[in-house]
């Protein structure tokens, strides 16, 4: 399906599939717009057909042009900061970046201006896009790799739903201490807060359901480390770090969960791939994030051969 950006609007030409459907049916079925957002669009007349405001009971005809007002400027408090961004994928609706280590995803206060979101705010401003940068998911400060942002509120609502329905698949690689003997496995253990530590999580029967799949990619007996590929069926805070520690194989460098400190290095965790069916264009999107953490350097050939396909 072809979408055209026209100033603050996006436009789609109606195909045979939506002929004779009402505007309301089209918006619900084609766009899967959440009820609250749908109500807002109705009240604020943010939908037009052939550049005219019409009743939502109007039946669409093939080759009609439907316009949605999506890029309305927003006031936000995210300070712009000139940060070099590693753009992996971009279209009029979303932006996927390769986040470096030692960088927060978003500010924890108005005074913090060196986060990835501050950099995205500046990037949007350069594009004359005056909307708040919204990350669909987040990565820990010391986790690198692919992270997804949206460019306007409707895209945010649609991709948030995609994530909630587990239709966004995120794949990670990690280096863990010790040699994992089993080639593949699933860790299913609920995760809750550790009442003895303000930021740490722990496996807890009363915690939230959490499931991690792992696949051993390389066993380094010389360094007593295992390179593991992981995918998540849930997205709990510190999930991979908690689960691998629970398995008896904490991440290299992850001192919070039992890993050994590596001088000048952080935890060896990288979001290597993100795949999904685009919530707006319906296209299959698969993006890989090259690994720059030096801890993974000895395994780059394995990563390129078996993971960065």
């Amino acid at each position: 399906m072809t979408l055209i950006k026209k100033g603050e609007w996006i436009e789609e030409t109606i195909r045979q599939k939506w002929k004779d459907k009402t505007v309301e049916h089209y918006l619900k079925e084609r766009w899967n717009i959440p009820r609250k957002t749908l109500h807002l669009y109705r009240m604020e007349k943010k939908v037009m057909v052939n550049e005219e405001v019409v009743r939502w009971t109007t039946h669409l005809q093939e080759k009609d042009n439907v316009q949605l007002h999506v890029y309305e400027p927003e006031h936000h408090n995210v300070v712009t900061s000139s940060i070099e961004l590693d753009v992996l994928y971009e279209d009029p609706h979303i932006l996927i970046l390769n986040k470096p280590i030692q960088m927060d995803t978003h500010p924890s206060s108005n005074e913090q201006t060196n986060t990835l979101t501050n950099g995205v705010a500046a990037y949007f401003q350069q594009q004359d896009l005056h909307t708040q940068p919204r990350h669909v998911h987040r990565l820990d400060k010391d986790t690198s790799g692919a992270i997804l942002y949206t460019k306007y509120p409707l895209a945010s609502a649609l991709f948030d739903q995609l994530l909630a329905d587990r239709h966004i698949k995120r794949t990670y690689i990690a280096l863990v201490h010790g040699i994992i003997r089993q080639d593949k496995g699933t860790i299913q253990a609920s995760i809750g807060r550790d009442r003895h530590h303000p930021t740490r999580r722990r496996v807890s029967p009363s915690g939230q359901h959490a499931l991690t799949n792992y696949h051993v990619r390389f066993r380094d007996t010389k360094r007593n480390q295992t390179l593991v590929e992981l995918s998540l069926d849930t997205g709990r805070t510190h999930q991979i770090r908690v689960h691998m520690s629970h398995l008896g194989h904490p991440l290299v460098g992850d001192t919070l969960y039992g890993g050994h400190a590596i001088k000048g290095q952080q935890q060896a965790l990288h979001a290597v791939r993100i795949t999904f069916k685009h919530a707006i264009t319906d296209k299959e999107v698969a993006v890989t994030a090259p690994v720059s953490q030096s801890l993974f350097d000895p395994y780059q050939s394995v990563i390129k051969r078996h993971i960065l396909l």
Side-chain angles (χ1 to χ4, degrees), residues 32-80:
N32 195 29
I33 300 176
R35 184 178 300 177
K36 184 178 179 180
T37 306
L38 206 62
H39 177 72
L40 180 71
Y41 270 51
R42 188 195 299 268
M43 292 298 101
E44 297 187 3
K45 296 180 170 54
K46 291 189 174 186
V47 179
M48 296 193 298
V49 178
N50 300 323
E51 300 187 358
E52 293 183 359
V53 175
V54 299
R55 292 181 180 275
W56 282 24
T57 53
T58 300
H59 289 265
L60 295 168
Q61 300 303 313
E62 193 171 1
K63 297 186 179 180
D64 276 345
N65 292 317
V66 179
Q67 295 89 25
L68 277 70
H69 191 200
V70 298
Y71 291 102
E72 186 175 6
E74 298 177 277
H75 173 74
H76 62 80
N77 297 320
V78 181
V79 178
T80 60

Side-chain angles (χ1 to χ4, degrees), residues 81 85 95 97 115-125 133-134 149:
S81 185
L85 302 178
L95 175 69
L97 303 172
T115 75
L116 192 65
T117 297
N118 295 116
V120 174
Y123 185 75
F124 281 1
Q125 190 176 77
R134 295 171 169 87
Y149 281 83

Side-chain angles (χ1 to χ4, degrees), residues 240 250-251:
I240 289 174
L251 271 60

